[in-house]
Amino acid sequence: MLRCIAKRCLEACMGKLMSDPFASARLIVIKVGSALLVDPAGGALRRGWLRALCADLAALAAKGHQLIVVSSGAIALGRRKLGLKSGALRLEESQAAASVGQVQLAEAYADGFEAHGIVASQVLLTLGDTEQRNRYLNARATLKTLLDLKAIPVINENDTVATAEIRYGDNDRLAARVASMMGADLLVLLSDVDGLYTADPTRHADATHIPDVPAITTQIESMAGESVSGFGRGGMASKIAAARIATAAGCDVLIARGKDDRAIDALRNNGRHTRFHATTTPAQARKRWIAGVLKPEGTLIIDAGAAKALLDGKSLLPAGVRQIDGRFERGDAVVVKDQQGREIARGLTAYNVEDAERIAGKRTAEIEAILGYRGRDEMIHRDDLALTVTAS
Ligand code: GLU
């Protein structure tokens, strides 16, 4: 009898665990679109909805999840304040609207999170910041620091300085790039539909919902019709493109309906969604990227003590570096070799070649006195290192 009750309890717990789509995710990126945040009729901020979202996210944070929000809405909010008429805006009008709306957007999130004792931060990125490694290193370190300090970064594209046409849907891609840059486990794209259907459900009554997508095939891509909502020109196609980027970086992606209040809470309680499954882990994806995709610009020759430290999973400190070859900038990929010329690792260097030469062989505590600024403690941080030999 007792065994039977225990078994049922366990099953109930497991059921709960299985139904909470966030359960195993450490770092979660949530993408919020303009169509959810801004009332399509008057262009006003949907304050009640945002308060509810912040409450849901605070509950997730209280459970130990780290969170990053990628939010659109700056242009939609700003155009209303500036009295810009409906219809397509010229690029410079969009950029002006973004610079006005972004103030309101950031304030609204700051207030929403403050009600739960959480500090929000505003981070404006361009896609280049998440794609070019020298800028990538800084963006990643800043976001990581904010997360360690228990703040919730709220990211938008830096529309005001963007040089390309701003398109709705860009933030789906930005969110996927952020997720991959940060090694997130889960990206939640809050949308106007509750996931992917075999056809556009607004036009085809027989369209069926797809709960799980193990791999993004051409058939899956062909199911993404055009979005019908006025703000969301991104539609399903840009969500699938984002899912492709994120899943290849080891991050699962959920597409779920976000329009109603407490959308995240609903999702935690069995709400309908589509899950795109990651094809690797974030750590493997990152190591593969560092070890294989980036072209190394230089070589660091290190001593035996440093080589052993790397094989033990530690960072490369300046003290262990004996010789430097090549020309590289901070954030470039370099090869790390031992004094016998054997390659041990590849990684992203925290110093350019001039500074690296000056601090090579020196203790970390001496860096500031030598360079005149307090740089990173490590020449290559272990998060930015991929071993290319295995410990024997
Ligand atoms: N960054 C734009 C904004 O905040 C929106 C881009 C998008 O929705 O993808 O208004």
Side-chain angles (χ1 to χ4, degrees):
M1 175 69 181
L2 264 177
R3 276 241 300 276
C4 186
I5 294 173
K7 186 163 170 268
R8 251 186 283 144
C9 272
L10 191 70
E11 277 167 6
C13 283
M14 290 300 284
K16 182 97 189 80
L17 210 65
M18 300 294 286
S19 67
D20 180 353
F22 304 112
S24 59
R26 185 187 47 90
L27 173 58
I28 306 171
V29 177
I30 298 103
K31 190 260 167 179
V32 177
S34 304
L36 306 177
L37 255 172
V38 180
D39 179 18
L45 179 67
R46 295 177 68 215
R47 286 190 188 277
W49 181 89
L50 183 58
R51 264 198 299 274
L53 176 77
C54 290
D56 281 359
L57 296 183
L60 276 185
K63 290 197 74 171
H65 299 284
Q66 291 187 321
L67 305 173
I68 294 176
V69 176
V70 175
S71 181
S72 309
I75 297 174
L77 291 171
R79 72 179 295 159
R80 179 173 190 252
K81 280 216 157 177
L82 289 172
L84 292 163
K85 297 271 164 304
S86 58
L89 296 178
R90 284 180 290 127
L91 177 60
E92 56 273 31
E93 286 174 330
S94 294
Q95 297 190 294
S99 87
V100 171
Q102 187 60 37
V103 179
Q104 195 188 353
L105 192 63
E107 255 177 8
Y109 276 103
D111 288 351
F113 283 126
E114 197 181 20
H116 302 277
I118 295 174
V119 176
S121 86
Q122 172 190 259
V123 179
L124 299 179
L125 294 176
T126 63
L127 275 171
D129 296 324
T130 60
E131 284 163 359
Q132 288 170 25
R133 51 189 185 277
N134 47 355
R135 280 148 70 186
Y136 178 117
L137 211 59
N138 274 16
R140 182 177 146 93
T142 305
L143 287 169
K144 209 173 162 304
T145 305
L146 285 163
L147 293 174
D148 290 345
L149 293 169
K150 308 249 178 286
I152 298 188
V154 180
I155 300 176
N156 196 358
E157 186 162 0
N158 196 353
D159 292 323
T160 306
V161 298
T163 48
E165 198 58 48
I166 303 167
R167 285 166 309 148
Y168 292 111
D170 286 351
N171 272 5
D172 290 332
R173 184 150 66 113
L174 183 68
R177 292 267 177 229
V178 166
S180 97
M181 172 173 86
M182 298 307 295
D185 315 279
L186 188 64
L187 166 63
V188 182
L189 299 173
L190 290 179
S191 169
D192 46 5
V193 280
D194 56 7
L196 183 65
Y197 283 75
T198 48
D200 183 347
T202 59
R203 284 186 233 158
H204 303 272
D206 57 348
T208 52
H209 180 265
I210 304 173
D212 269 298
V213 178
I216 301 172
T217 57
T218 44
Q219 196 197 0
I220 291 291
E221 271 171 346
S222 70
M223 289 172 189
E226 284 311 300
S227 163
V228 287
S229 116
F231 287 123
R233 258 200 296 148
M236 200 46 85
S238 78
K239 296 206 163 35
I240 295 203
R244 188 179 273 291
I245 295 170
T247 52
C251 179
D252 275 16
V253 177
L254 300 189
I255 298 183
R257 194 178 142 79
K259 196 89 188 178
D260 309 323
D261 286 1
R262 314 301 307 260
I264 297 286
D265 196 50
L267 208 46
R268 281 175 69 186
N269 289 294
N270 257 332
R272 191 131 97 151
H273 61 270
T274 297
R275 181 182 283 260
F276 295 79
H277 293 265
T279 50
T280 177
T281 65
Q284 270 169 356
R286 187 165 166 77
K287 302 263 159 174
R288 195 178 323 124
W289 177 69
I290 293 172
V293 182
L294 299 176
K295 182 173 132 334
E297 304 289 345
T299 305
L300 307 182
I301 315 279
I302 62 172
D303 63 23
K308 181 170 181 315
L310 294 199
L311 294 175
D312 288 344
K314 306 229 170 71
S315 299
L316 175 63
L317 300 178
V321 179
R322 289 278 161 268
Q323 191 191 320
I324 294 170
D325 297 320
R327 296 227 44 87
F328 50 84
E329 291 300 323
R330 174 178 150 66
D332 277 342
V334 290
V335 178
V336 181
K337 291 186 176 171
D338 67 13
Q339 285 168 301
Q340 287 69 47
R342 277 186 302 249
E343 176 172 329
I344 296 176
R346 293 182 180 213
L348 308 179
T349 162
Y351 290 94
N352 64 24
V353 66
E354 290 83 14
D355 289 352
E357 268 166 355
R358 290 167 69 196
I359 60 172
K362 301 290 193 305
R363 283 180 303 115
T364 295
E366 297 174 272
I367 295 176
E368 189 169 0
I370 297 170
L371 298 182
Y373 66 90
R374 169 138 191 234
R376 295 276 154 84
D377 289 352
E378 307 83 10
M379 189 77 95
I380 304 177
H381 190 277
R382 64 194 159 93
D383 289 350
D384 299 321
L385 246 159
L387 292 182
T388 43
V389 290
T390 41
S392 51

